[in-house]
């Protein structure tokens, strides 16, 4: 099994849990996040090297990958975990859309751009994208998140279809509600996100760890997501009607009208 990894968004939540799991298994790990102070705590606890910075930018990703290669010698697995939400719909402005696209999609593109050529030369590597169940379904109340997480899944699928025969394994972790700060700050969406049982960040990290011994594309910490995705694909109108009923309940709870959303 490989034994070197990079984890982005590692200062807290799923990223921190993944870094901790890898450290417990004796892996050599590089962790990255915008929050330099929290990242140092994680690095101290896990024995990882902290590389603070903005991994949504090309310069940030290039610095991270170059530093990781210098420190580790080779990056076996890159966990593209950093992600953001907006909790907005049509009221999200262009800057918020741009930030979501940069962080949730283009960061993965940039990581692949710098990693895949090296993996093709060395015989292989693995990119694990934290994409969310929103990337398979949708996310009521957060249009930029829903769209960009679909984009994350689409890019991961393209990478897998294009390079898997050349030793590049691509996987997409797609959890629903996870007990993290993002869930705590989800406001009126919290009831929706916890409609099914939530899992801990450690549970997601365990699912990710187990997935490293397979080449399965989807990693589903919530097994029910598979059934929802099948229903969505087989009966799109019925699925959309069901989602709209959930939206109506959300509107009722928050006193929101269609005009206010628009």
């Amino acid at each position: 099994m490989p034994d070197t990894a990079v984890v982005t968004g590692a200062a807290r939540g799923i990223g921190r849990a993944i870094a901790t799991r890898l450290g417990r298994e004796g892996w050599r790990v590089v962790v990255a996040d915008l929050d330099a102070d929290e990242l140092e705590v994680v690095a101290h606890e896990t024995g990882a090297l902290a590389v603070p910075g903005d991994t949504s930018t090309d310069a940030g990703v290039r610095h991270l990958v170059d530093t990781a290669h210098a420190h580790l010698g080779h990056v076996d697995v890159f966990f593209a975990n950093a992600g953001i939400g907006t909790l907005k719909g049509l009221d999200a402005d262009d800057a918020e859309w741009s930030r979501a696209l940069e962080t949730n999609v283009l960061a993965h593109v940039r990581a692949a751009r710098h990693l895949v050529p090296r993996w093709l030369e060395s015989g292989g590597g693995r990119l694990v994208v934290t994409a969310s169940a929103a990337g398979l379904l949708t996310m009521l109340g957060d249009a930029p998140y829903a769209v960009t997480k679909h984009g994350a899944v689409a890019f991961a699928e393209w990478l897998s279809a294009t390079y898997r025969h050349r030793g590049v394994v691509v996987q997409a972790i797609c959890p629903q509600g996870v007990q993290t700060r993002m869930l705590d700050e989800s406001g009126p969406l919290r009831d929706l996100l916890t409609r099914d049982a939530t899992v801990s960040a450690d549970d997601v990290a365990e699912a990710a760890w187990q997935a490293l011994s397979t080449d399965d594309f989807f990693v589903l910490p919530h097994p029910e997501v598979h059934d929802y995705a099948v229903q969505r694909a087989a009966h799109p109108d019925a699925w959309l009607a069901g989602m709209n009923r959930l939206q109506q309940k959300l509107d009722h709870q928050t006193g929101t009208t269609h005009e206010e959303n628009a």
Side-chain angles (χ1 to χ4, degrees), residues 238 240-250:
L240 285 169
M243 293 302 292
N244 182 251
R245 286 192 292 273
L246 289 176
Q247 180 64 55
Q248 291 178 57
K249 291 180 181 179
L250 185 63

Side-chain angles (χ1 to χ4, degrees), residues 6 8 61 65 75-81 105 107-116 119 124-130 152 155-160 163 167-173 211-212 214-217 219:
V6 174
T8 70
V61 173
V65 172
V75 176
D76 293 314
V77 185
F78 190 97
F79 288 91
N81 171 74
V105 181
H108 304 165
V109 175
R110 289 162 181 151
R113 186 183 294 149
H114 295 297
L115 288 163
V116 169
W119 286 339
R126 184 180 299 251
L127 178 68
V128 183
V129 171
T130 302
F155 179 66
E157 288 175 335
W158 182 88
L159 275 179
S160 181
Y163 293 108
V168 177
V169 177
V170 184
Q171 295 173 297
I173 306 175
L212 294 178
T214 79
D215 291 346
D216 294 344
F217 181 77
V219 181

